[in-house]
């Protein structure tokens, strides 16, 4: 690899971690994925992150200028405060790396929203909602060009808006949450339970002509349109960007949600509803932006033209 300045960027998910080296010009010099050893406990996950960052750093020519790390849960720029699905509490940024390079942490969804804002579907748009719909649902609220986390860092938990107050109980303890009806995991789970089947995936529900599947999907669309109407009336976004695995349903998702959103906003225009542009690369590219910010280069990113590509999963 030719000598060039780069940062280490790592996006940590509950199932896998995606990392890479990203240059000053936005070139992805290297991209890899590894499993997240969540079942082995929080210390094993922290150790795996540290090993992955070290591996990526030594794969470049020279030392990295900085490290950007996107993690789930409650997070500040220098501490991973709490992540229910990974089990850790109050992990300092320095515990994730043995490098001398500066490191900046970011919330996984807000970091993906930052990437969509700077590089993707929301490029140049100051106020929009980035809503990845996957195993769960959380949103990145981009306000005045920056992800907004609220007073305590919990801002954007749109998945726990109660869309059906008398509805099913959510894993969070509340009732009728958006995530309980419209996440990919919930769509598959609810159909499996109602149809008496096992391990049905959301994409099977979306494409099925079974009346039960149609009903489950209709409830998911209804829940999502309710939540998006609420968000629109509160914050008046320029657009709404849907990402995550469920967004790959394409028109089967976008068309009915768009139609219902328009009907619910009777006295005002609905914001445009667009697909995310960066796919599964959003978190890693957002982490690269954090890495360059940690290195004192916050201006980088605006002129990047990045290539979205898959990374091999390394055991």
């Amino acid at each position: 690899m030719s000598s060039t300045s780069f940062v280490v960027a790592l996006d940590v998910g509950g199932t896998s971690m995606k990392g890479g080296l990203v240059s000053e010009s936005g070139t992805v010099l290297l991209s890899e994925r590894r499993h997240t050893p969540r079942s082995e406990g929080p210390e094993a996950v922290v150790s795996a992150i540290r090993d992955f960052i070290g591996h990526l750093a030594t794969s470049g020519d020279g030392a990295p200028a900085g490290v950007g790390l996107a993690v789930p849960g409650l997070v500040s720029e220098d501490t991973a405060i709490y992540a229910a699905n990974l089990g850790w509490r109050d992990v300092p940024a320095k515990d994730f790396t043995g490098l001398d390079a500066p490191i900046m942490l970011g919330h996984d969804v807000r970091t993906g929203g930052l990437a969509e804002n700077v590089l993707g579907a929301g490029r140049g748009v100051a106020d929009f909602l980035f809503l990845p719909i996957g195993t769960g649902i959380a949103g990145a609220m981009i306000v005045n060009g920056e992800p907004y986390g609220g007073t305590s860092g919990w801002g954007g938990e749109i998945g726990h808006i109660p869309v059906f107050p008398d509805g099913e109980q959510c894993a969070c303890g509340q009732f009728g949450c958006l995530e309980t009806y419209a996440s990919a995991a919930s769509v598959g789970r609810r159909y499996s339970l109602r149809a008496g089947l096992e391990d049905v995936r959301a994409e099977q529900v979306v494409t099925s002509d079974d009346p039960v599947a149609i009903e489950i999907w209709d409830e998911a669309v209804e829940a999502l349109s309710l939540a998006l109407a609420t968000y629109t009336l509160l914050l008046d976004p320029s657009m709404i960007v849907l990402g995550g695995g469920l967004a790959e349903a394409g028109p089967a998702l976008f068309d009915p949600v768009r139609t219902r959103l328009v009907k619910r906003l009777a006295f005002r225009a609905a914001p445009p509803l667009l697909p995310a542009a960066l796919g599964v690369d959003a978190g890693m590219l957002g982490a690269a932006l954090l890495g360059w910010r940690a290195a004192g280069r916050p201006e980088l990113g605006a002129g990047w033209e990045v290539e979205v590509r898959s990374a091999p999963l390394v055991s």
Side-chain angles (χ1 to χ4, degrees), residues 245-274:
L246 203 60
E248 295 178 6
L253 174 69
F254 283 83
D255 290 351
V257 170
R258 187 179 291 114
T259 297
R260 295 193 194 193
L261 182 58
V262 168
K263 288 182 178 180
R264 292 195 176 281
L265 300 172
F267 63 89
R268 57 151 294 162
L273 195 64
L274 302 174

Side-chain angles (χ1 to χ4, degrees), residues 94-121:
K94 64 180 178 61
D95 285 8
F96 292 110
T97 173
L99 306 176
D100 290 332
I103 180 172
M104 182 178 291
L105 305 183
H107 181 273
D108 55 351
V109 175
R110 287 197 292 274
T111 300
L114 173 65
E116 286 289 345
N117 184 209
V118 177
L119 308 170

Side-chain angles (χ1 to χ4, degrees), residues 37 41-53 80 86 88 91-92 94-97:
E43 292 183 2
V45 177
V46 173
S47 179
I49 292 171
R50 186 183 179 96
D51 289 346
F52 199 1
I53 288 175
L86 297 179
W88 63 40
V91 183
K94 64 180 178 61
D95 285 8
F96 292 110
T97 173

Side-chain angles (χ1 to χ4, degrees), residues 198-284:
E198 293 184 2
D199 300 325
V200 178
R201 297 179 61 83
E203 54 263 35
Q204 296 171 270
V205 179
V206 174
T207 58
S208 175
D209 58 3
D210 177 1
V212 176
I214 292 172
E215 183 178 355
I216 294 294
W217 184 239
D218 183 76
E219 289 172 349
V221 168
E222 180 73 359
L224 190 56
S225 69
L226 282 165
L228 294 182
T230 299
Y231 185 91
T232 298
L233 292 169
L234 284 173
L235 288 176
D236 189 28
S238 298
M239 65 173 65
I240 296 171
V241 177
L242 300 184
L246 203 60
E248 295 178 6
L253 174 69
F254 283 83
D255 290 351
V257 170
R258 187 179 291 114
T259 297
R260 295 193 194 193
L261 182 58
V262 168
K263 288 182 178 180
R264 292 195 176 281
L265 300 172
F267 63 89
R268 57 151 294 162
L273 195 64
L274 302 174
L278 302 177
V280 296
D281 286 312
M284 189 271 286

Side-chain angles (χ1 to χ4, degrees), residues 71-226:
V71 296
L74 187 60
V75 59
S76 69
E77 291 185 359
D78 58 10
T79 306
I81 299 169
Y82 174 67
N85 63 343
L86 297 179
W88 63 40
R89 287 183 181 271
D90 299 321
V91 183
K94 64 180 178 61
D95 285 8
F96 292 110
T97 173
L99 306 176
D100 290 332
I103 180 172
M104 182 178 291
L105 305 183
H107 181 273
D108 55 351
V109 175
R110 287 197 292 274
T111 300
L114 173 65
E116 286 289 345
N117 184 209
V118 177
L119 308 170
R123 188 191 289 259
V125 178
D127 296 88
F128 72 96
L129 171 65
F130 171 57
L131 191 67
I133 308 173
T135 303
I137 298 178
M141 304 183 293
I142 308 300
V143 179
N144 294 327
E146 288 290 333
Y148 176 71
T151 300
S152 59
W154 287 109
E157 290 294 343
I158 297 168
H160 298 290
I161 288 177
V163 289
F164 303 132
D166 297 322
E168 298 175 14
Q169 187 170 20
C170 179
C172 76
Q174 298 179 164
F175 289 86
C177 292
L178 171 65
E179 184 172 293
T180 304
Y181 289 86
S183 71
S186 292
V187 168
R189 173 188 56 79
R190 297 185 73 239
Y191 177 73
S192 296
L193 288 173
R194 200 174 294 185
L197 302 173
E198 293 184 2
D199 300 325
V200 178
R201 297 179 61 83
E203 54 263 35
Q204 296 171 270
V205 179
V206 174
T207 58
S208 175
D209 58 3
D210 177 1
V212 176
I214 292 172
E215 183 178 355
I216 294 294
W217 184 239
D218 183 76
E219 289 172 349
V221 168
E222 180 73 359
L224 190 56
S225 69
L226 282 165

